Amino acid sequence: MLHAHTVEAVRRAEAAAMARLPEGALMQRAAAGLAAAVLELLGGGYGRRVLLIVGPGDNGGDALWAGARLAARGSRVEALLLADRVHEAGLAALRAAGGRATHDLDRLHAAPDVVVDGIVGIGGRPGLRPEAVAALERYDGVPVVAVDVPSGVDVDSGRVEGPHVRADLTVTFGTHKVAHLVDPASTACGAIHLVDLGLAGDLGPPALEALQPDDVRALLPRPGPTAHKYTRGVVGVRAGSDTYPGAALLAVAGANTGLAGMVRYVGPAHVADTVRSVHPEVVGAGRVQAWVVGPGGGDDAGAMLDAARADGVPVVVDADALRHVAAPLPGCVLTPHAGELAAMLGVQREPVEASPLEHVREAARRWECVVLLKGHHTLVADPGGRVRVTTTGVPWLATAGAGDVLAGLVGALLAAGLEPHDAASVGSWLHGAAATEAAAGGPLTATRVAVQIPRLVRETLSGAR
């Protein structure tokens, strides 16, 4: 499991580690990891031009000590100092290694091969001062390596307010931070490289989790030697309408990926005929262990939700059915995108997109159930505040019908016996990973995502991923 922690948790862990270690040991470990990452990015150090943009805190000290290591490897290192006082020992080390430092942007030499952002660290406030903005604009287009987090983002919320660094690579220390995983700040991080500082035992519970292949493998349902179709779980789908018959096909496709023992479809007769012509193994009404309700339901979505809830089993509530959620739904899973969640919460879409972590937690508390907020990094929150982040997927997944497939997939996992939080987060991970494989670097459709899921599950179970 990949964990992310808050600034407070990191500060406590660093303080505990510094009490055990020689003075300056943590910064030296961080600087060594940062310098190694820059060297790897550049493909070597000798003759390379490195610009450090340095603020007043320890983040700037990490950059300066790393710069000293790079200068010792033959790099031409310059530091633009944005404060009257910066980390003194780091600055002295840089100069001793042959690096240069100046407070004047116009006194810098030739354009660098890489810019190292040591402006502000995890204790900084959102936004950047004008002198930092001017320096970044001067070297627009040059690869940027952020030290710990891109300067200017809100570390604990993932919010972005005002100017901020957009990094090609972020080198972080000790643990991931919330901003590395949560939009919109995560989009400013580029690739993320974690340098181990030995803090794991002092960090405490994480603020966020992100499933990794081993975690998914452990959670995936597997049939036992005496299993039959009913013991493996039956998932029902109530979806589709005269206007949107395809939504039923896609929701069924997500449910009918082999993770549950049987799929039932209940909907308009002509839609049911179409569903069974494509998926002949799908049957009609009967007992289920979970329902998927809403995709393409149109005006009938409210009645679909009422009928599903009457069975007393977990329900995945998606698309049109979300408009009919008025009371708490314990044991269920809501799967809105930002616009749908905004409507449910009675706010505009922009605040949800600006602070998705805050809003998904609020929604999970309000409706007392798991809420899966779809996005670049999908968030899955439970009523107690626990959140998992999905980091699989590709931009090509933003395609019509993909959410219908996801709803069906989550429903199948619920029917197979996973708890709602696990079903939603495993389903989201599989959905994103299947899309990545199906896209292969190019466009894809929702149907191709569904087709890819059984192959992805096989690879995951075998350890091939």
Side-chain angles (χ1 to χ4, degrees):
M1 193 84 71
L2 185 153
H3 292 157
H5 290 81
T6 63
V7 172
E8 181 181 358
V10 173
R11 293 296 195 214
R12 286 198 307 266
E14 288 177 341
M18 285 189 288
R20 299 190 301 267
L21 296 170
E23 184 177 356
L26 277 187
M27 182 169 286
Q28 290 304 317
R29 290 179 186 178
L34 175 60
V38 172
L39 288 170
E40 183 176 357
L41 178 68
L42 293 173
Y46 187 80
R48 308 288 183 166
R49 297 184 299 275
V50 179
L51 172 62
L52 316 174
I53 305 181
V54 178
D58 286 347
N59 181 264
D62 295 334
L64 289 165
W65 277 110
R69 289 173 177 267
L70 293 169
R73 294 287 295 268
S75 297
R76 297 170 58 187
V77 183
E78 293 185 290
L80 176 64
L81 309 180
L82 298 181
D84 292 334
R85 296 189 63 182
V86 297
H87 195 279
E88 292 182 5
L91 180 58
L94 175 67
R95 285 173 167 155
R100 296 179 63 254
T102 179
H103 290 85
D104 187 349
L105 178 61
D106 292 326
R107 295 188 64 185
L108 295 172
H109 289 175
D113 297 307
V114 66
V115 171
V116 176
D117 159 33
I119 302 169
V120 292
I122 60 174
R125 296 180 179 180
L128 292 175
R129 294 182 176 180
E131 57 268 28
V133 174
L136 292 166
E137 288 178 346
R138 170 78 62 91
Y139 299 108
D140 185 36
V142 176
V144 176
V145 176
V147 180
D148 220 357
V149 292
S151 295
V153 306
D154 190 291
V155 180
D156 278 349
S157 72
R159 292 180 65 91
V160 171
E161 299 173 358
H164 61 279
V165 168
R166 289 192 171 274
D168 297 274
L169 171 67
T170 295
V171 180
T172 193
F173 311 118
T175 181
H176 290 81
K177 284 72 179 178
V178 174
H180 297 142
L181 300 181
V182 173
D183 295 337
S186 68
T187 63
C189 293
I192 297 171
H193 175 71
L194 175 65
V195 177
D196 183 12
L197 298 184
L199 304 182
D202 300 309
L203 283 165
L208 300 173
E209 299 174 330
L211 295 180
Q212 303 301 295
D214 285 348
D215 306 309
V216 175
R217 184 160 43 253
L219 289 168
L220 278 170
R222 298 169 176 82
T226 61
H228 53 77
K229 60 188 177 185
Y230 296 110
T231 61
R232 292 190 58 214
V234 180
V235 57
V237 178
R238 294 180 180 270
S241 60
D242 291 339
T243 306
Y244 302 109
L249 279 169
L250 291 166
V252 168
N256 192 35
T257 50
L259 291 165
M262 180 185 289
V263 180
R264 298 185 183 276
Y265 175 75
V266 177
H270 67 284
V271 178
D273 291 341
T274 303
V275 167
R276 293 187 189 105
S277 70
V278 177
H279 302 282
E281 56 274 271
V282 173
V283 299
R287 290 188 61 186
V288 300
Q289 279 71 57
W291 279 106
V292 178
V293 175
D299 294 337
D300 297 328
M304 290 177 175
L305 180 57
D306 291 341
R309 290 188 64 194
D311 281 350
V313 299
V315 181
V316 178
V317 185
D318 186 48
D320 294 324
L322 292 166
R323 294 185 285 109
H324 301 278
V325 174
L329 294 174
C332 296
V333 179
L334 313 183
T335 58
H337 55 58
E340 291 165 334
L341 185 59
M344 295 175 73
L345 294 172
V347 300
Q348 296 298 309
R349 180 174 186 140
E350 288 76 12
V352 175
E353 291 179 332
S355 188
L357 181 60
E358 172 191 353
H359 288 88
V360 74
R361 280 182 166 147
E362 179 185 348
R365 287 192 299 267
R366 181 179 298 191
W367 286 289
E368 299 176 13
C369 66
V370 169
V371 179
L372 183 160
L373 176 57
K374 293 176 282 196
H376 163 247
H377 279 183
T378 290
L379 302 177
V380 180
D382 72 11
R386 183 173 52 147
V387 180
R388 284 182 180 156
V389 185
T390 301
T391 57
T392 58
V394 288
W396 295 109
L397 186 53
T399 186
D404 303 333
V405 172
L406 174 60
L409 175 58
V410 173
L413 291 165
L414 274 175
L418 268 63
E419 294 297 318
H421 196 242
D422 288 339
S425 50
V426 170
S428 180
W429 188 95
L430 291 172
H431 186 249
T436 302
E437 287 195 355
L444 79 164
T445 62
T447 299
R448 286 177 55 202
V449 176
V451 169
Q452 191 70 25
I453 290 168
R455 183 183 304 171
L456 177 74
V457 170
R458 183 171 64 250
E459 292 176 355
T460 303
L461 289 173
S462 71
R465 291 190 61 85

